[in-house]
Amino acid sequence: MNDHDVVIVGGGAAGLTLAHRLVGVNHPGGGPVRVALMEPPPGPHTPPPRTWCFWEPEGGDWDHLLAARWRHLTVVGPDGAAATTPADPYVYKMLRSTAMDAHVRAGFGDRVEQVPLLVEEVLDGADHAVVSGVLPDGSTARSTARWVFDSRPPRPLPVGRTLLLQHFRGWFVRTPADSFDPEAAVLMDFRPPQPENAVAFAYVLPLSAREALVEYTEFGPEPLTTEEYDRHLAEHCARLGLEGFEVTDAEQGVIPMTDAALRTRVGRRVFRIGGAGGATRPSTGYTFSGVLRQTEAVAAALERGRVPVPPVPHRRRHLAMDAILLRALATGRVRGAEFFTGLLAPERLGDVLAFLDGGTRLPRELALGLRTPIAAMSLTALDHLWYSARSALTPGRAPASPPATTPDARHRPVR
């Protein structure tokens, strides 16, 4: 007999969302699904508060918890030309992890057991999986479960052909006078100097007329130091004309943007969810929408008594298109600032958001493709097809390919 029906490892966006969805879920024959959420006790392994952004139509399940929402999005080109466009039919939304965490845990009741365990090992088995780790007092503990969903990043990251790192640091700023338009978010501002072999941009997410998250981001081979991020942020705040502002909080992180295949099923009883299970869209780093689709499918499968394999929430052709884009950026065949500025032109913004959310059909996607640098993207597409064909002929051994960025690309950190 298992200690639990479901063990969820990790209390980030994916773990909390799945636990939230399983509250109230019963087995087909009756009786609650017994759930345990296992995460490190407060301390050095506790992640800092995070900000999750996503877009969806108005009226979503998390709307009552949002820190802010915007119906208009602005894109600023390298030359400073700005275009603000309605995001219809979408609304761009910001959710703080602190608000979600408090709301979800308040609803657990006796349906989700919260276990302060630093998980060290997950062992698969024919009838159950075993999760073991260290308790706050230093003793070890183990638990069995029918199904285990692990949201921790895999170590090492599966090897793909192309890897870029989306690395960033943001300041929450407060100004003494009105400085922001609360109705419009700056999605991408390409005025920061463009580094070699990388794409740099800033964005501004207003929380009020005097408060905003100002963030500097790069798609590149390796992260910067905190001091370097702060220098870029100070320069961009000056570029925005902000004076006398106060930095009230900061966030910093790294998201892998890779064409590596991230499997959701890693054993008979063990699965990966969230970014670890391919919920992150490789071309953008956005994850939250994928998490929502993935966890909804898992909850529905458990309620129907089926094997709850989390789906990869992105279509195969979209992942192939993302792989081509990543390769084009990494090889320098396209210049990221010009590419994204053109792609996100006002007349195409709604279509691009729909594509990135997985809601477009092939004809519309081909029409969007015609708005990109056709020669460079066609060459990269042929390169990708050739690489994929050769890989299929030699399964388990990918053919050698040139470095994605520079001769030092082999030294890129895997995060």
Side-chain angles (χ1 to χ4, degrees), residues 25-283:
V25 171
N26 296 317
H27 295 289
V33 173
R34 297 167 299 153
V35 181
L37 175 62
M38 298 184 176
E39 53 192 328
H45 296 284
T46 303
R50 288 142 292 173
T51 300
W52 299 312
C53 290
F54 57 103
W55 55 88
E56 64 177 4
E58 191 67 87
D61 292 341
W62 304 97
D63 278 11
H64 62 295
L65 296 176
L66 296 177
R69 71 190 80 194
W70 306 273
R71 297 183 177 276
H72 293 80
L73 298 176
T74 299
V75 176
V76 184
D79 59 357
T84 300
T85 311
D88 296 339
Y90 300 104
V91 179
Y92 195 67
K93 304 179 178 183
M94 175 197 284
L95 176 64
R96 297 300 310 274
S97 63
T98 49
M100 178 185 181
D101 187 279
H103 172 74
V104 168
R105 293 183 195 276
F108 282 166
D110 60 357
R111 296 297 298 265
V112 178
E113 180 184 357
Q114 301 182 71
V115 183
L117 186 73
L118 179 59
V119 173
E120 294 184 325
E121 188 174 47
V122 178
L123 295 176
D124 191 31
D127 301 315
H128 61 261
V130 179
V131 181
S132 58
V134 179
L135 293 166
D137 63 5
S139 63
T140 59
R142 66 190 296 273
S143 181
T144 60
R146 188 179 182 195
W147 311 110
V148 174
F149 297 89
D150 194 344
S151 65
R152 298 172 300 170
R155 294 289 189 266
L157 189 72
V159 177
R161 189 186 189 197
T162 306
L163 170 66
L164 294 177
L165 299 179
Q166 180 178 154
H167 54 94
F168 56 88
R169 180 171 170 82
W171 286 347
F172 286 87
V173 302
R174 181 184 296 126
T175 59
D178 291 355
S179 304
F180 308 106
D181 178 3
E183 299 299 319
V186 179
L187 186 65
M188 284 182 155
D189 184 335
F190 291 103
R191 285 179 292 171
Q194 297 300 304
E196 186 178 1
N197 302 314
V199 184
F201 60 93
Y203 58 85
V204 179
L205 305 181
L207 304 175
S208 70
R210 299 189 181 192
E211 295 176 295
L213 170 61
V214 180
E215 196 140 303
Y216 175 83
T217 302
E218 286 188 14
F219 298 169
E222 59 186 61
L224 306 180
T225 65
T226 299
E227 292 73 18
E228 289 173 318
Y229 288 122
D230 285 346
R231 176 173 55 82
H232 284 296
L233 284 167
E235 290 174 353
H236 194 66
C237 286
R239 193 177 291 120
L240 296 173
L242 303 183
E243 296 181 352
F245 63 88
E246 173 190 5
V247 178
T248 61
D249 201 357
E251 66 173 23
Q252 189 168 325
V254 179
I255 301 171
M257 303 171 68
T258 176
D259 57 3
L262 296 171
R263 295 183 299 150
T264 60
R265 188 168 195 172
V266 292
R268 287 167 288 188
R269 301 281 169 179
V270 182
F271 309 99
R272 291 193 181 277
I273 56 173
T280 301
R281 187 69 189 262
S283 60

Side-chain angles (χ1 to χ4, degrees), residues 324-389:
I324 292 168
L325 173 58
L326 290 179
R327 194 67 188 168
L329 291 172
T331 56
R333 288 181 183 141
V334 299
R335 294 177 59 85
E338 288 79 3
F339 177 89
F340 287 112
T341 301
L343 186 65
L344 295 170
E347 68 272 15
R348 293 187 288 275
L349 181 61
D351 286 339
V352 173
L353 293 178
F355 165 68
L356 295 175
D357 200 48
T360 50
R361 298 183 180 276
L362 185 58
R364 174 55 61 186
E365 293 160 11
L366 294 175
L368 287 175
L370 294 176
R371 299 291 185 174
T372 65
I374 294 177
M377 296 301 289
S378 298
L379 175 61
T380 309
L382 292 173
D383 176 31
H384 175 74
L385 290 172
W386 174 241
Y387 176 85
S388 300

Side-chain angles (χ1 to χ4, degrees), residues 8-20 37 104 108 149 151 273 291 295:
I8 302 168
V9 181
L16 284 175
T17 304
L18 180 56
H20 175 70
L37 175 62
V104 168
F108 282 166
F149 297 89
S151 65
I273 56 173
V291 163
T295 55

Side-chain angles (χ1 to χ4, degrees), residues 281-297:
R281 187 69 189 262
S283 60
T284 66
Y286 283 95
T287 303
F288 194 75
S289 294
V291 163
L292 297 183
R293 292 192 289 268
Q294 202 171 59
T295 55
E296 181 180 22

